[in-house]
Amino acid sequence: MAALALAGCGALLAGGCSPAGGPGARTGGSPPGSGATASPSAASGGPSASSQASGPPAKGAVTVTGEVAKGLESPWGVAALPDGNLLVASRDKGTVSRVDVATGAVTPIGKVPGVAPGGEGGLLGLALSPSFASDHMVYVYFTTESDNRIARLRYDDQRPAGQQLGAPDTVFRGIPKGLIHNGGRIAFGPDKMLYAGTGETGETGLAQDKKSLGGKILRMTPDGDPVHGNPEADSVIYSYGHRNVQGLAWDKDKRLWAAEFGQNTWDELNLIEPGGNYGWPMAEGRAGKPGLRDPVAVWKTDEASPSGIAWAEGSIWMAGLKGNRLWRIPLAGTGLAAEPEAFLEGKYGRLRTVVPLGGDRLLLVTSETDGRGSPEAGDDRILTLTVR
């Protein structure tokens, strides 16, 4: 509980560790009256003159086209298999299941040993190896009794159900763990390197401490080694000054975007640059301070509490936990093409993960059974969407 006090979240865990924002905020934009000047890699919070001519339409649309699965318990990470079916991680059960998209059948394929669920920890991110067709490796980010770590397990669908995951091979360990702010999103980038978003566990000083892996975005080889060309030699740290990164996605030009929780006022969508300092805890939202990178867009914390993100049709699509909505953030280059829009507000409850399926198709995963929602019959669900 001391960690909760340090984090400034206290009893507000029910909101995804993002308490309500202050008055006067402009939804999806920047704090009014900030007086800050946009950096080359961050938009001002509203559309720029150049972006309006080249970005996607100012107004988008979302259509829920189906329900792939229901009755899931604390789903978190999701990965699409080459055959179109899905793997889904259960945060609290520590299991990975296969979802048959044609029938909706959910079949456990195995349990990840060593998962210690609690608070915001457990079995979190899930990603397939870039060489999955040949090596059949599934990567997982999970909380143990001592740390957060990343392991890979071989998936053999010829083995009996429930026994299809091999023994875990830990590729990276030592990420700080806490009752809150464990990060957890992992993804392979266009460069086939593994990226991981971490949290500062409620100890705010970790985000600026380059000797700590907390409050960072990490970049490593599939074997867990530092990548040549990272900001610092022999280090996996790619960017720092983050509070709790839970969304990672790349746009069509291979730019990395990340979503993270704010504390009292502003949740953020950031454009990630190697070696960038994203300000926490010296800044929340746009600060305009030298040496700190401002977010491209911000939200009042009760309207977002962002989790997974995906890029499709010229926009970032961001799941909101406490906000109970899906945000569309239309982009043009490194800035906003238009103000963000909210969809599905309150219709499906807390939203956890967004997965791109190509073109205008997305998967959306709800998060009503994570201990903070109000689950109804059929929760949690995986929905299919068409978007523009």
Side-chain angles (χ1 to χ4, degrees):
M1 296 305 295
L4 299 184
L6 286 169
C9 290
L12 290 164
L13 280 171
C17 217
S18 285
R26 192 159 56 93
T27 300
S30 298
S34 66
T37 301
S39 68
S41 62
S44 63
S48 66
S50 60
S51 67
Q52 293 182 44
S54 57
K59 297 297 182 181
V62 173
T63 302
V64 178
T65 56
E67 182 179 87
V68 173
K70 62 181 180 179
L72 301 172
E73 183 177 335
S74 61
W76 214 100
V78 178
L81 292 164
D83 64 5
N85 293 309
L86 307 174
L87 295 183
V88 182
S90 169
R91 186 195 70 182
D92 297 338
K93 295 172 67 177
T95 57
V96 179
S97 297
R98 178 182 180 274
V99 174
D100 186 315
V101 298
T103 66
V106 179
T107 305
I109 66 169
K111 187 177 180 70
V112 178
V115 173
E120 294 177 357
L123 181 56
L124 304 173
L126 188 68
L128 301 185
S129 162
S131 305
F132 182 82
S134 57
D135 64 26
H136 306 290
M137 287 293 182
V138 178
Y139 284 71
V140 292
Y141 181 117
F142 63 101
T143 311
T144 74
E145 293 290 352
S146 61
D147 66 357
N148 285 295
R149 62 183 61 176
I150 301 170
R152 57 189 173 193
L153 307 92
R154 190 173 187 275
Y155 172 38
D156 183 355
D157 61 4
Q158 299 303 306
R159 299 184 64 186
Q163 304 174 36
Q164 295 175 342
L165 286 181
D169 170 24
T170 300
V171 298
F172 197 82
R173 68 181 72 219
I175 302 168
K177 64 161 285 187
L179 185 61
I180 59 171
H181 297 185
N182 288 289
R185 194 70 60 182
I186 56 174
F188 282 94
D191 55 4
K192 299 186 179 179
M193 296 297 108
L194 179 60
Y195 293 73
T198 75
E200 33 77 301
T201 72
E203 294 187 29
T204 58
L206 297 186
Q208 292 293 323
D209 182 356
K210 292 187 180 180
K211 294 181 180 179
S212 172
L213 298 169
K216 310 294 191 296
I217 292 176
L218 311 179
R219 177 179 181 246
M220 65 191 75
T221 70
D223 294 325
D225 298 320
V227 180
H228 177 71
N230 274 4
E232 295 186 13
D234 301 321
S235 174
V236 298
I237 294 175
Y238 194 66
S239 63
Y240 66 107
H242 299 287
R243 188 166 183 261
N244 190 28
V245 177
Q246 292 220 339
L248 298 171
W250 287 264
D251 64 24
K252 65 180 179 62
D253 294 313
K254 302 180 181 179
R255 288 179 288 249
L256 174 59
W257 299 81
E260 65 178 278
F261 288 136
Q263 179 171 315
N264 296 313
T265 313
W266 301 110
D267 292 328
E268 301 179 0
L269 177 71
N270 286 295
L271 174 63
I272 303 301
E273 299 287 351
N277 182 353
Y278 288 82
W280 181 252
M282 293 108 68
E284 179 184 0
R286 288 183 48 76
K289 294 181 179 179
L292 304 184
R293 293 190 175 271
D294 283 336
V296 171
V298 300
W299 292 261
K300 289 189 292 186
T301 52
D302 58 349
E303 295 179 338
S305 294
S307 187
I309 62 175
W311 183 90
E313 298 295 289
S315 297
I316 292 288
W317 300 84
M318 185 178 81
L321 290 165
K322 187 177 180 182
N324 287 199
R325 65 199 80 178
L326 178 69
W327 283 99
R328 172 188 184 255
I329 305 103
L331 300 175
T334 60
L336 297 182
E339 290 295 323
E341 297 177 275
F343 294 94
L344 308 179
E345 186 173 350
K347 190 167 184 179
Y348 296 99
R350 294 162 58 83
L351 304 180
R352 171 69 68 181
T353 296
V354 192
V355 179
L357 295 179
D360 61 354
R361 299 169 59 239
L362 297 174
L363 291 174
L364 180 62
V365 183
T366 69
S367 192
E368 285 288 281
T369 60
D370 66 350
R372 300 176 183 176
S374 301
E376 300 178 354
D379 286 331
D380 269 308
R381 310 165 190 273
I382 301 177
L383 308 170
T384 54
L385 312 178
T386 58
V387 299
R388 66 170 174 85

